[in-house]
Amino acid sequence: MALPPPSQQLGPRLTPPRTVGAVVRQARDALRRQRADRAAQAAQQPEAPAPTRLTLTLPLPVASASPRGAPLDELPFSLFDESDWPGGIQQRFRALRPLVEATLEGYEVNFLGMLESPADGLGCWTLGAPPDAPSATFVGIPTNATFASFAKLCDGGYGAAPARPGHTLVAVNPDWTGPADIGQFWERDLKAAAARLLAPGAWAPLYAARMLRTSRARGHGLLVGSWGRGWHLWAADSAGRHWRRRPTAERRHAEESSSVRDECVLWSEAEPEAAAVVEALNRAAAGSRKR
């Protein structure tokens, strides 16, 4: 896929978000643009469109790596590592909830609680009034293990709203891997639902921010996709060669958002292919080491 350089971007550029607060503000702006686009589309096409399905990926601040007492808005985020979350998905959901609710600030929001067991880490918010006819539903964190409950939500099993024409359903920090990995081989209905709901193109990104590391830690960076703004990739300071021999603090810095540089090294209207991202980050890291 041919990718235009940053100088050929279409529309306004994003600035690299280096804190959780900056991510939340960009995600909130993306939601407003999406809702404005949806309203304009509805005005032109009076017939109710099919439900809209979006994904929202918010990086979580790692409490153990953050200064004690620091405001959430000012915390950096880092490359996701399971070892940072000894409490599992429950701990991750507790960290995610204030970010989602900050993103939805300014709207009438209802947190409906967990869909099933709190241990599943699958919580639900509705946006808009009245509560029996919300305009959007946000649910996080759907995984392979909890996909049966998520599919039930998508199909109106917990209330008709998510399946209604014109409704927007947003999967927050989805952690599914694909239909083939969902359900046991005898769970034919679940596998069929996964294949249908996770078909290519079924979900469009509303906003996503992810710290990245290439093979052997040659390059680090931040990839951000935002509704109506395309996808931006910024390189981060790299720990360089012999990465695993570097002090822990140096490795952590390279993986944190605070190390992201200002220059956008890759831009694409659609999400760039992994190979293009790796090439851009490795090239930026090599250029940095030559300076």
Side-chain angles (χ1 to χ4, degrees):
M1 177 176 61
L3 299 173
S7 60
Q8 296 179 15
Q9 289 185 42
L10 303 176
R13 298 186 184 185
L14 295 176
T15 57
R18 295 186 177 90
T19 64
V20 169
V23 163
V24 164
R25 287 188 289 274
Q26 287 190 357
R28 190 184 302 138
D29 289 344
L31 177 60
R32 288 173 179 161
R33 287 193 297 271
Q34 188 274 334
R35 289 174 68 82
D37 288 349
R38 187 66 182 231
Q41 180 186 22
Q44 296 174 0
Q45 302 174 355
E47 65 277 9
T52 298
R53 287 172 175 164
L54 306 171
T55 59
L56 171 62
T57 304
L58 302 173
L60 304 179
V62 181
S64 61
S66 304
R68 180 171 295 181
L72 180 67
D73 189 70
E74 299 175 6
L75 294 180
F77 52 92
S78 64
L79 187 74
F80 178 77
D81 188 335
E82 289 278 3
S83 65
D84 290 327
W85 306 97
I89 199 163
Q90 283 182 280
Q91 184 185 12
R92 287 164 56 193
F93 185 84
R94 287 196 298 270
L96 175 67
R97 181 176 172 180
L99 306 189
V100 174
E101 293 176 356
T103 299
L104 301 181
E105 185 179 304
Y107 298 97
E108 184 165 343
V109 180
N110 298 283
F111 177 61
L112 303 183
M114 314 306 287
L115 287 183
E116 296 288 347
S117 166
D120 292 339
L122 195 61
C124 184
W125 298 259
T126 58
L127 186 154
D132 60 344
S135 63
T137 300
F138 288 69
V139 57
I141 307 169
T143 67
N144 291 349
T146 60
F147 200 85
S149 296
F150 180 71
K152 182 179 177 181
L153 173 78
C154 293
D155 292 337
Y158 293 100
R164 286 177 181 153
H167 190 82
T168 298
L169 177 62
V170 183
V172 185
N173 285 24
D175 203 16
W176 57 59
T177 55
D181 303 321
I182 293 172
Q184 301 297 329
F185 70 89
W186 61 82
E187 295 179 296
R188 295 181 180 179
D189 290 346
L190 177 57
K191 283 193 166 291
R196 170 174 53 85
L197 292 171
L198 300 184
W203 297 82
L206 172 65
Y207 181 85
R210 295 190 293 268
M211 288 297 296
L212 304 174
R213 181 181 68 211
T214 65
S215 177
R216 299 183 182 179
R218 290 175 59 193
H220 294 78
L222 171 63
L223 179 65
V224 172
S226 184
W227 185 275
R229 295 292 183 266
W231 290 78
H232 295 65
L233 178 67
W234 296 275
D237 295 335
S238 175
R241 299 178 60 190
H242 310 300
W243 175 79
R244 294 192 180 280
R245 302 179 193 174
R246 298 280 185 175
T248 301
E250 287 189 29
R251 298 202 305 269
R252 272 287 186 184
H253 175 71
E255 295 174 351
E256 279 193 359
S257 56
S258 58
S259 68
V260 174
R261 304 176 199 149
D262 289 328
E263 182 185 2
C264 178
V265 298
L266 182 67
W267 181 88
S268 175
E269 188 172 3
E271 183 172 4
E273 295 176 359
V277 171
V278 169
E279 180 184 359
L281 290 182
N282 286 342
R283 185 170 60 246
S288 178
R289 287 194 289 270
K290 290 177 181 178
R291 294 173 186 170

